[in-house]
Amino acid sequence: SDVCSSDLDQLQLEMLFKTGASKLTADGQRRLDLLAEFLTSNPDVSVRLDGYADPRGGETFNQQLSEARVSYVQDLLVVRGVRPERISSHAHGKSTSESARGDLDAYAMERVVKIELNQDRNVAGLAATQ
């Protein structure tokens, strides 16, 4: 079944993490299994992972934490059959945090790896200018 590239461009997934943790919950693991299944059956789709941390803690700790989160998600995808060259990983630490100080609900949304899927235009045979 062909994937509509305009749908793919809009498709974003988020994997949330507990405070200070770089491992997914059981629900997160199930969602990642579904993503890996989709990716292995759509080899012309590439993945961008962006890892973030909430503003608590030091800059270095949060940078390392967001790197660990991204690496963890990438490793799980690779173990499930997604080729590493299809995955680009970026860690942002707490640099993009916009939460109000002490807003725990907002913090929870910032402990995340955002997953963006993109159709590889070359493989799909579409013009690079699209």
Side-chain angles (χ1 to χ4, degrees):
S1 62
D2 281 342
V3 179
C4 178
S5 62
S6 62
D7 289 346
L8 265 184
D9 290 339
Q10 302 303 311
L11 185 54
Q12 276 204 344
L13 306 168
E14 295 188 346
M15 296 287 168
L16 297 174
F17 292 82
K18 291 182 164 56
T19 303
S22 61
K23 302 284 188 270
L24 289 172
T25 62
D27 180 57
Q29 293 261 13
R30 279 192 297 278
R31 292 173 57 212
L32 205 68
D33 288 341
L34 292 173
L35 174 63
E37 203 173 288
F38 172 82
L39 290 169
T40 53
S41 57
N42 292 278
D44 61 335
V45 175
S46 63
V47 187
R48 177 185 166 112
L49 304 177
D50 286 281
Y52 302 90
D54 73 35
R56 293 173 294 179
E59 190 62 53
T60 303
F61 172 79
N62 279 304
Q63 185 63 31
Q64 291 171 342
L65 184 58
S66 60
E67 286 170 10
R69 289 170 174 166
V70 166
S71 295
Y72 177 71
V73 172
Q74 179 170 345
D75 290 348
L76 288 178
L77 289 173
V78 170
V79 163
R80 287 158 174 75
V82 181
R83 292 193 326 276
E85 60 269 21
R86 293 172 58 195
I87 305 169
S88 68
S89 298
H90 310 272
H92 305 279
K94 65 178 184 179
S95 61
T96 61
S97 174
E98 296 177 355
S99 295
R101 187 179 179 92
D103 185 342
L104 299 182
D105 289 337
Y107 289 175
M109 301 311 292
E110 291 185 338
R111 296 190 300 270
V112 65
V113 170
K114 294 184 178 177
I115 300 167
E116 185 181 334
L117 304 180
N118 298 292
Q119 187 114 36
D120 185 332
R121 303 212 180 309
N122 299 328
V123 174
L126 299 173
T129 55
Q130 281 187 328

